[in-house]
C-alpha cells in the first residue's frame, strides 16, 4: 500500500517475514536511507530527512518492533537488522544508496554495509560503537539491565509516548524491551570487518557521548584515516571522515545542525 501527500510518501515493504514501514520524501540524487535509534520512531529523524530532501530522495525505515513496523517471532540481532535493511533497499529498488544510522540504527547500518556492501555507496555512522566494549562501563552496565522489568519507568518517557502514538500493538512494548535487552547484552567486535569495508565512511559522535572520543578515532584509524598530513592544499589521503561534535551527547546529537552539516559535506563530496 502506498499513500502519497504533497511532500511525503509512506508505505510498507515485506521482507524477511517483516512488514517494514518506510517514509520517503524528496527526489533526485543518490537515495539516502536513514535509520533511527533504539526505541525510536521515524519522527526522531525528521529534521535530518527534511534537510536532505531538498535535493535528493530520502527514505526512513522503522526497524523490527519499532514504530509502525510490527515485531515478529525472531530475536533482535544486529546481523538480522542489517539483512532487513539490505532487503528493504532491494525491494524498494533504491540501491546503491547512501546509508545513515544513529545508535541502534548505526549498528544496523554497519552490518548492512558489512553483509551487503554492493548496496551501499557511502556509509555514515552516528553515535554507534563498532564493538560492545567501546561503550563506557557504566553505560554497558545499564544496557545489561534493560528489560520489561523497567516498563513502569519507561512508559512515562517521551520515547514511549512516541511509540504508543504509532505502534500497531502498544502492548508489545515490554516484549520489545526484553528483546532489546538481549541484543544489548550480546558481545560484538566488528573491527576487522569495519577495516575491510569498501565504501567511504563518516563517523560522527559527541565529545560527551556514551563512549570516549578515542573509540571514534579508532574507527577512523581502522578506515585508514588520520595517518598522514592532509596537504597544504587541503586534500586528504583518504575518502573517510571523522566528526566529533563539541558539547553533544548520545541523547541530543541526532538531527542537530552541526551533525547535518558534517553529514552533508561527506555525502555531497565528489
Amino acid at each position: 500500500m502506498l499513500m502519497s501527500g504533497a511532500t511525503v510518501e509512506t508505505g510498507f515493504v515485506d521482507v524477511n517475514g517483516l512488514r517494514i514501514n518506510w517514509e520517503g520524501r524528496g527526489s533526485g540524487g543518490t537515495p539516502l536511507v536513514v535509520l533511527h535509534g533504539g526505541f525510536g520512531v521515524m519522527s526522531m529523524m525528521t529534521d535530518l530527512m527534511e534537510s536532505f530532501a531538498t535535493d535528493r530522495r530520502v527514505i526512513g525505515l522503522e526497524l523490527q518492533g519499532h514504530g509502525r513496523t510490527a515485531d515478529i517471532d525472531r530475536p533482535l540481532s544486529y546481523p538480522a537488522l542489517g539483512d532487513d535493511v539490505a532487503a528493504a533497499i532491494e525491494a524498494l529498488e533504491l540501491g546503491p544508496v547512501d546509508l545513515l544510522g544513529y545508535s541502534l540504527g548505526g549498528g544496523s547500518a554497519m552490518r548492512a554495509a558489512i553483509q551487503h556492501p554492493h548496496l551501499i555507496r557511502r556509509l555514515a555512522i552516528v553515535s554507534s560503537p563498532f564493538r560492545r566494549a567501546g561503550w563506557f562501563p557504566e553505560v554497558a552496565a545499564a544496557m545489561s539491565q534493560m528489560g520489561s522489568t523497567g516498563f513502569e519507568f519507561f512508559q512515562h518517557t517521551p520515547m514511549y509516548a512516541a511509540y504508543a502514538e504509532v505502534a500497531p500493538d502498544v502492548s508489545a512494548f515490554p516484549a520489545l524491551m526484553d528483546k532489546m535487552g538481549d541484543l544489548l547484552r550480546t558481545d560484538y567486535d566488528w573491527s576487522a570487518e569495519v577495516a575491510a569495508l569498501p565504501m567511504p565512511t563518516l563517523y560522527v559522535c559527541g565529545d560527551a557521548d556514551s563512549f570516549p572520543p578515542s573509540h571514534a578515532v579508532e574507527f577512523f584509524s581502522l578506515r585508514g584515516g588520520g595517518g598522514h598530513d592532509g596537504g597544504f592544499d587541503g586534500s586528504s589521503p583518504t575518502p573517510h571522515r571523522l566528526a566529533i561534535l563539541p558539547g553533544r551527547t548520545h541523547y541530543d546529537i541526532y538531527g542537530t545542525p552541526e551533525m547535518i552539516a558534517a553529514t552533508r559535506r561527506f555525502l555531497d563530496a565528489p
Side-chain angles (χ1 to χ4, degrees):
M1 179 177 65
L2 176 67
M3 298 176 290
S4 297
T7 58
V8 179
E9 300 171 290
T10 64
F12 292 88
V13 59
D14 296 320
V15 298
N16 299 338
L18 286 168
R19 295 196 74 225
I20 292 181
N21 181 64
W22 64 270
E23 179 178 295
R25 60 191 73 198
S27 62
T30 299
L32 172 63
V33 173
V34 175
L35 308 176
H36 58 78
F39 297 114
V41 299
M42 196 85 69
S43 59
M44 172 182 278
M45 310 303 284
T46 295
D47 289 347
L48 182 144
M49 293 174 67
E50 290 186 346
S51 174
F52 280 97
T54 58
D55 56 6
R56 69 161 74 199
R57 181 149 174 74
V58 183
I59 301 92
L61 303 177
E62 287 182 322
L63 301 170
Q64 176 189 342
H66 287 74
R68 300 163 186 81
T69 300
D71 200 5
I72 58 173
D73 185 15
R74 183 188 77 175
L76 276 176
S77 74
Y78 280 120
L81 293 172
D83 283 343
D84 294 341
V85 171
I89 290 169
E90 290 187 312
L92 293 170
E93 300 181 347
L94 299 173
V97 302
D98 293 340
L99 179 61
L100 181 150
Y102 158 68
S103 194
L104 174 72
S108 304
M110 272 188 271
R111 290 311 311 179
I114 289 166
Q115 294 159 204
H116 307 274
H118 64 288
L119 293 175
I120 315 301
R121 186 189 77 111
R122 289 179 179 246
L123 175 67
I125 303 301
V126 181
S127 202
S128 185
F130 59 90
R131 70 165 70 92
R132 189 179 188 274
W135 298 102
F136 282 123
E138 64 271 24
V139 174
M143 289 177 171
S144 294
Q145 300 304 310
M146 174 58 67
S148 58
T149 55
F151 177 62
E152 174 60 30
F153 165 80
F154 217 102
Q155 67 178 330
H156 301 293
T157 65
M159 193 167 289
Y160 175 77
Y163 168 90
E165 188 174 337
V166 300
D169 179 9
V170 177
S171 68
F173 195 83
L176 176 62
M177 294 182 72
D178 285 334
K179 288 188 177 185
M180 282 290 291
D182 290 339
L183 180 147
L184 294 173
R185 284 184 288 272
T186 300
D187 194 25
Y188 62 95
D189 186 341
W190 306 327
S191 302
E193 293 155 301
V194 163
L197 286 171
M199 73 287 294
T201 57
L202 165 70
Y203 196 90
V204 184
C205 69
D207 65 1
D209 216 304
S210 295
F211 48 88
S214 59
H215 187 82
V217 173
E218 185 180 356
F219 182 100
F220 189 49
S221 179
L222 285 170
R223 304 299 296 128
H228 305 280
D229 175 67
F232 73 92
D233 60 353
S235 62
S236 174
T238 77
H240 312 295
R241 298 291 181 266
L242 171 65
I244 300 177
L245 306 182
R248 289 300 179 185
T249 73
H250 188 75
Y251 314 101
D252 68 4
I253 192 171
Y254 59 89
T256 59
E258 59 267 41
M259 177 254 174
I260 292 172
T263 305
R264 180 172 288 281
R265 284 194 299 271
F266 168 69
L267 296 181
D268 290 350

